[in-house]
Structures are given as C-alpha cells and as structure tokens.
Amino acid sequence: MTAQAIDPRVLLDEVTQFIYREARFQDDHAYDEWEALWTDDGVYWIPANGEGGDPEKEMSIIYDNRSRIALRIRQFHTGKRYSQTPQSRLRRIVSNVEILRHEGDDLIVTSNAMVFESAARGDTVWASRNEYTLRREGSALRMARKKVVLVNNETALYSMAFLI
C-alpha cells in the first residue's frame, strides 16, 4: 500500500511512532537497532554553518552514506572508539512531527528535537530541526535520509555524542 493510499491520520501516527522509536534507540545507545532503521541508500547529515547547502561542497559535522553509518557502528563495537566512553546519558523530547509531502515512495517529514546529554565533561542541550525522508519497505517505514540542523551549528560546538 502506498503512503498516499493510507488515511492521513493513520499515516501521521505511524510516522510519529517511527520517529519516537528512532529517538529511543539513540537515547538508549541501541546502535544496531538504530542502524536497522536505514535503507540501503541512506544518508545521515548534520550540516555546519546554517541550513546546509550542498554537503559535497560545504563543511558538515557529519555526512555519512549507508556504508559509513555501518562502519561507524562497527568501529564503536570494537571498544577502541572512545567517543562514548563513558557513555553519555541521553534523553530527548521530539515534537512538531509533520508530513510535508509525498515524493514517489518517499515521505518528507520534519520534527523538532531537544536532546539533554549528561557526559563526563558536563551537561549539554542540543536543539535541532530534523528532516527525514522515510520510505516504506514491505510493511515498515525506513529512513532513506536524516538531516539534523542544529540551532547553534554556526558557533563552536563541544564534541557531541556518538549520534545526535
């Protein structure tokens, strides 16, 4: 069934539950489960210095294709990557989930997030607008793209947790 054939309220509920699940996996450091949410052509992007133009030509905080997402998680599992040693304690609030449009099989979705991170170096609050491209594969939604636009990405940033 295509996204356009589903009742809009039912679709919004499904999308919202997907985004909440993705946030929970990040907060709980469930990286394998988080990785499983991605399509094979997924792109995870955190632009630097504003809304982000072309990530191939401008600096990014993170700009990972699907292969790099998998590598990042495999490297974390080796125990030799110390970006999360000790692991930060994370909790996020997700709000304003909105389906902007359908583009073929893709749903273009936005939300706002506020992440509280408690780490050895101190506490940090990250605020962002998240833009998703979600795609139905079989009966489930998966992420084809996630862009995290940090509110303060034009300033010097502390090192961030493994994922934001």
Side-chain angles (χ1 to χ4, degrees):
M1 181 178 289
T2 66
Q4 286 117 337
I6 299 174
D7 176 88
R9 299 292 304 164
V10 172
L11 183 59
L12 179 60
D13 185 55
E14 181 183 18
V15 165
T16 301
Q17 289 304 310
F18 179 91
I19 291 172
Y20 288 168
R21 183 177 322 110
E22 189 241 354
R24 178 172 47 87
F25 289 161
Q26 289 179 299
D27 285 350
D28 293 346
H29 304 280
Y31 300 129
D32 295 326
E33 292 85 348
W34 181 80
E35 182 187 0
L37 298 175
W38 287 92
T39 61
D40 291 340
D41 62 342
V43 173
Y44 179 47
W45 180 28
I46 304 175
N49 304 317
E51 297 298 309
D54 181 349
E56 297 288 335
K57 296 178 181 175
E58 298 179 24
M59 186 176 73
S60 298
I61 297 167
I62 293 177
Y63 180 52
D64 288 352
N65 62 22
R66 183 61 182 87
S67 175
R68 180 69 180 116
I69 293 167
L71 177 61
R72 183 183 293 270
I73 291 170
R74 282 195 313 273
Q75 288 174 334
F76 174 77
H77 284 314
T78 68
K80 296 177 182 173
R81 296 292 178 169
Y82 301 108
S83 65
Q84 279 292 276
T85 303
Q87 284 187 336
S88 297
R89 295 188 63 204
L90 302 167
R91 282 299 169 242
R92 71 193 70 219
I93 298 169
V94 177
S95 69
N96 299 55
V97 176
E98 183 178 12
I99 300 171
L100 297 182
R101 64 187 177 280
H102 299 111
E103 291 181 356
D105 293 332
D106 294 343
L107 293 166
I108 310 304
V109 177
T110 63
S111 70
N112 292 328
M114 181 86 65
V115 183
F116 180 83
E117 177 185 14
S118 180
R121 72 179 184 303
D123 297 339
T124 306
V125 176
W126 303 96
S128 67
R129 185 185 76 253
N130 299 331
E131 300 171 5
Y132 299 85
T133 300
L134 302 181
R135 183 178 305 142
R136 188 168 303 283
E137 291 189 351
S139 62
L141 291 175
R142 297 193 53 206
M143 281 189 295
R145 182 173 179 272
K146 182 178 180 184
K147 177 182 174 185
V148 179
V149 180
L150 295 169
V151 171
N152 61 339
N153 72 2
E154 294 179 351
T155 64
L157 299 174
Y158 295 105
S159 62
M160 67 176 53
F162 185 65
L163 301 171
I164 190 86

